[in-house]
Amino acid sequence: MRRPIDSLFGRLALLVVAVLLLSHFAWYALMRLERSQLQTRYAVEEATFLVDAVRQHVVRNPDQPLPSRVKLVDPASPEVPPETADMPPPLERFIEDVRERMPSGTQVRVGLPGRPPTLWVRASSDRSWIVVPVQPLRTPRSLDRTVLWLVIIFAFAVMAALFAAWALQQPLRSLAQAVARFGRGLPVPPVPERGPRELRQLTHGFNQMVQEVARTENDRAVMLAGVAHDLKTPLARLRLRAEMMEEVKMRDGVVRDVDSMTHIVEQFLVFAHDGADRSEPVEVDAQCERVVRSYRAVVSGAPAVQTDLRAGPAFQLPAATLDRILSNLLDNAHAYGAPPIVVATARTAEGFTLSVSDNGKGIAAQDLVNASRPFVRLDPARGGNGHSGLGLAIVERLVRRAGGEWHIGNHDGRGLRVLMSFPLSAVPEVRTASESAW
């Protein structure tokens, strides 16, 4: 099961959202703290300004009435609030700040709770308590607009960051897809060199590597095709001359050797062929049944070949590719395995499987890695005349070009089994009759 967090885009998105969320939360907390401090400083400045204004008013215009909510109270009046020792820390800091702005020895108190907030100030030179209104230090504030704008800014920041992460991972995704195609042996077009400098350098190196490998493969294919093609004419003449020999025993031996050499040449040509299969897709189950039936009729001394076909009509592959895969695997099982040979198909949750197994001695565990390498023959355990060591290499190349994966190994302690898996994306879609009519 694919997990989004495993992708580069998923991890970048998670990192970006986490960083933006943390930064916005820190910014919001700092803004709230700074606003509280600014409110306290403003309240202190306002209170000291009002107290100084009242003192000047009393000195210059003692007969004029004071502004509303500002009054002078006699020290002996019972209205004077007592000095409170236990106050909330914000209120205590506020009183200390006001006291620092006043002359030395000034008494500062706050009004009784439950009434409009007031500040009571009396310096040593004041005859009465000066009572002025103050702003509440913690005015109840709703988070309406602040939170709304914070959410809007956060949403736009996340969308911009996700777009940047998507643009950053696109070149890597293209490169990863190209690497996957290259690993399956499929043709790989040049990958556009875009993104950061390091990524452009990586893409440029990959394109150069693909070109060098393609050039090497092309040179090898041309060489093999040329050699194989040049050998076909001498082999045909040699077979014709062998047919004209009078001694039957010698003639049969020479014909068998010529047939073996012809088979090797044909394997060379198939292995050197690097073009895409443009043949029509066929149902794998039906084609397997036809190939097995033909194999029983044509190959002399062929062991029993059984079928277990359960994939259904949705499993389709190009006809030429499927014929080459089956013929090579059946020849391999006939030459090295033991009956019965089983050709099986099945449908899985991920796609389809095709397997060919025999009941021979199998391949030693240390030789399984080299079994599909070109021109490698595991003699004497799996040697024989007329074989070039290309059969399994051809099968692996054909399976990968068809978009599948393969696994070779010994099954249940018995013979060799080649298991090929084809995902649903690699299998052509089945067209209905109504669709094909259009």
Side-chain angles (χ1 to χ4, degrees):
M1 180 178 179
R2 297 180 60 184
R3 295 182 299 173
I5 197 63
D6 284 340
S7 65
L8 176 63
F9 177 75
R11 297 193 178 189
L12 282 177
L14 182 63
L15 177 63
V16 164
V17 171
V19 171
L20 287 176
L21 187 62
L22 180 63
S23 62
H24 278 68
F25 177 78
W27 173 78
Y28 177 72
L30 182 63
M31 183 187 66
R32 295 279 293 182
L33 177 63
E34 185 66 20
R35 186 173 65 177
S36 177
Q37 293 178 351
L38 285 174
Q39 183 185 12
T40 302
R41 286 196 295 268
Y42 178 78
V44 171
E45 293 292 337
E46 183 182 32
T48 54
F49 174 78
L50 288 176
V51 170
D52 291 339
V54 170
R55 284 174 179 165
Q56 294 178 10
H57 178 82
V58 170
V59 172
R60 296 178 182 178
N61 303 302
D63 298 332
Q64 297 292 331
L66 294 171
S68 62
R69 298 185 62 190
V70 177
K71 59 182 179 179
L72 299 176
V73 179
D74 187 83
S77 174
E79 296 182 10
V80 178
E83 187 172 359
T84 306
D86 188 10
M87 291 184 295
L91 186 58
E92 187 176 356
R93 286 195 299 268
F94 171 73
I95 293 177
E96 290 295 331
D97 291 342
V98 172
R99 187 177 289 116
E100 289 178 359
R101 298 292 301 273
M102 297 294 173
S104 177
T106 300
Q107 300 181 52
V108 180
R109 300 179 186 179
V110 293
L112 296 175
R115 299 179 181 179
T118 55
L119 182 69
W120 295 62
V121 179
R122 184 189 179 197
S124 57
S125 58
D126 296 332
R127 297 180 180 180
S128 303
W129 285 91
I130 302 175
V131 182
V132 296
V134 293
Q135 291 184 354
L137 294 181
R138 291 190 174 273
T139 305
R141 289 177 177 265
S142 61
L143 305 180
D144 47 4
R145 291 192 175 184
T146 304
V147 173
L148 177 62
W149 281 107
L150 188 66
V151 171
I152 293 175
I153 295 173
F154 178 75
F156 276 101
V158 167
M159 287 189 292
L162 291 181
F163 177 78
W166 175 82
L168 180 63
Q169 65 93 29
Q170 279 299 106
L172 278 176
R173 184 176 183 179
S174 300
L175 183 60
Q177 292 174 348
V179 171
R181 288 180 59 87
F182 182 72
R184 293 197 301 265
L186 300 174
V188 180
V191 182
E193 299 176 11
R194 54 183 179 176
R197 182 180 67 253
E198 294 80 4
L199 185 56
R200 293 197 305 269
Q201 293 175 349
L202 176 63
T203 306
H204 180 72
F206 174 77
N207 288 334
Q208 284 187 330
M209 180 189 70
V210 171
Q211 292 176 0
E212 291 297 327
V213 171
R215 188 179 298 112
T216 303
E217 287 289 333
N218 184 63
D219 293 342
R220 184 176 66 171
V222 170
M223 179 189 68
L224 288 177
V227 172
H229 183 271
D230 292 342
L231 285 177
K232 290 180 69 175
T233 301
L235 285 174
R237 291 199 300 265
L238 185 59
R239 182 181 178 87
L240 179 60
R241 292 175 181 175
E243 293 289 350
M244 299 173 61
M245 297 177 63
E246 296 181 357
E247 188 175 348
V248 177
K249 185 175 181 180
M250 182 177 294
R251 181 186 63 195
D252 294 341
V254 173
V255 169
R256 283 196 302 270
D257 292 341
V258 172
D259 289 341
S260 298
M261 295 173 65
T262 303
H263 179 72
I264 293 174
V265 170
E266 291 175 350
Q267 292 287 75
F268 279 6
L269 288 175
V270 172
F271 184 77
H273 176 68
D274 198 28
D277 188 356
R278 296 181 176 83
S279 60
E280 289 293 328
V282 295
E283 294 183 13
V284 174
D285 287 0
Q287 189 68 9
C288 287
E289 193 65 46
R290 286 192 292 268
V291 171
V292 168
R293 192 183 308 114
S294 176
Y295 188 80
R296 294 176 186 146
V298 173
V299 179
S300 59
V305 182
Q306 302 175 359
T307 57
D308 184 14
L309 309 174
R310 303 182 182 180
F315 186 18
Q316 296 188 358
L317 290 176
T321 295
L322 181 58
D323 289 345
R324 290 173 182 172
I325 290 175
L326 290 175
S327 61
N328 278 281
L329 291 179
L330 289 175
D331 288 342
N332 187 79
H334 180 205
Y336 308 124
I341 300 172
V342 180
V343 179
T345 62
R347 178 161 189 166
T348 63
E350 293 78 17
F352 302 93
T353 61
L354 168 64
S355 65
V356 177
S357 57
D358 61 62
N359 283 269
K361 296 181 180 180
I363 299 178
Q366 64 272 16
D367 293 332
L368 285 173
V369 178
N370 298 323
S372 62
R373 295 182 59 185
F375 307 107
V376 173
R377 296 174 59 188
L378 305 178
D379 288 332
R382 296 179 65 85
N385 295 325
H387 295 272
S388 59
L390 287 174
L392 294 179
I394 292 173
V395 172
E396 181 183 17
R397 176 173 292 191
L398 292 175
V399 170
R400 292 188 182 277
R401 285 179 185 170
E405 297 291 337
W406 90 320
H407 174 75
I408 180 172
N410 302 316
H411 67 104
D412 298 333
R414 300 195 300 274
L416 186 71
R417 182 179 69 169
V418 177
L419 177 63
M420 296 152 281
S421 303
F422 298 89
L424 295 175
S425 58
V427 178
E429 294 184 2
V430 180
R431 300 180 61 187
T432 62
S434 59
E435 291 176 342
S436 59
W438 287 96

